[in-house]
Amino acid sequence: MLKGKKALITGSTSGIGLGIARALAAQGCAIMLNGSRDAEAVEPVRRELADQAGVLVAYGRADLTRAEEIGPLVAQTIARLGGLDILVNNAGIQYTAPVEDFPPEKWDTIIALNLSSAFHTIHHALPFMKAAGWGRIINVSSVHGLVASVRKAAYVTAKHGLVGLTKVVALETAGQGITCNAICPGWTRTELIEPQIVALAERLGVDVEEGGRALLAGKQPSGQFVAIEHLGQLAVFLCSEAAEQITGTALPIDGGWTAQ
Ligand code: NAD
């Protein structure tokens, strides 16, 4: 379905980003993976995806907390893949503490990575999408782009900001063949939330699996984690023709979390 399209997915060497990369590659899309690790460390992941999907898969190392590394990443994507049709802003980190204990440097890093990096990638990518008359921008926000939780000031602020950015970009590109949407996952079992599961399990004096169930019980009515593969399929749908009038939305995929 996406044969000939070219996608840059930020923070895509693990977790949800890698899942979205797999789903787009399975549709024939060429992929630029990104992360802040050296290329050698990521080579097994890159090669496996390329072999599995039979598409061009490249890796662009860039630390997205550093704005000056983002323009070159977009330029490298266009040079290596021959264009840029799909941009998935997925890179993100978490840190939890009450506001009064929240280290200011953690605040700055989370805002830079989880919010500002999406502005910079879009800023650099949009001229190419506008010239081509086609583009899909998917911002991986979170349920925390729609509602808050305690101890997550920087994360919740960044994810709400990402929803705002999504709406502005959607309005500025409306009717030009380009859409911009945010997806808002609930708990999805990745490295990002593992420390929270472990901490909860320790606090409750239970094993990690029981900790996972307790984490879900607090927020996610389905009692089940969101599957990474399903987030990949949602991204594929947003790139499809059927989704051409879906723009400026923030789509929850959260087992009912934000219905409460
Ligand atoms: P993850 O830790 O597996 O993925 C985060 C990715 O970001 C990693 O591949 C990491 O290499 C990359 N990254 C970290 N710092 C970077 C930097 N400075 N420059 C470039 N890349 C960097 O966790 P995940 O859960 O897959 O998170 C992906 C996105 O999904 C995040 O934006 C996260 O906020 C969002 N999200 C996750 C959940 C969840 O429950 N796991 C829920 C909602 C939203």
Side-chain angles (χ1 to χ4, degrees), residues 10-17 34-37 62-65 89-93 113-114 140-143 155 159 184-193:
T10 69
S12 47
T13 60
S14 64
I16 293 169
N34 155 260
S36 55
R37 287 189 293 157
D63 177 350
L64 301 188
T65 62
N89 287 305
N90 167 79
I93 49 171
L113 182 65
N114 296 18
V140 180
S141 180
S142 166
V143 284
Y155 189 85
K159 295 298 188 182
C184 300
W187 295 126
T188 308
R189 194 131 191 198
T190 67
E191 289 166 31
L192 185 111
I193 68 160

Side-chain angles (χ1 to χ4, degrees), residues 1 8 16 30 42 66 69 82 112 116 118 135 153-154 190 194-195 197 223 232 243 253:
M1 192 179 88
L8 166 62
I16 293 169
V42 175
R66 298 164 59 87
E69 296 193 14
S116 299
T190 67
E194 215 52 37
I197 295 175
I253 171 165

Side-chain angles (χ1 to χ4, degrees), residues 3 17 21 27 37 48 59 85 88 111 164 174 196 203 207-208:
K3 208 166 167 30
Q27 297 297 323
R37 287 189 293 157
E48 193 225 71
Y59 174 69
D85 308 293
V88 182
I111 298 298
Q196 296 174 66
R203 207 165 69 237
D207 66 21
V208 174

Side-chain angles (χ1 to χ4, degrees), residues 111-153:
I111 298 298
L113 182 65
N114 296 18
L115 177 57
S116 299
S117 75
F119 160 75
H120 292 294
T121 56
I122 294 169
H123 172 78
H124 290 289
L126 256 188
F128 294 92
M129 291 182 176
K130 285 191 169 178
W134 197 92
R136 293 287 180 271
I137 300 169
I138 299 170
N139 295 322
V140 180
S141 180
S142 166
V143 284
H144 286 117
L146 303 171
V147 296
S149 295
V150 295
R151 302 171 58 88
K152 295 184 177 175

Side-chain angles (χ1 to χ4, degrees), residues 93 95 102-112:
I93 49 171
Y95 185 84
F102 212 94
E105 61 278 11
K106 291 282 186 199
W107 168 276
D108 288 344
T109 305
I110 290 178
I111 298 298

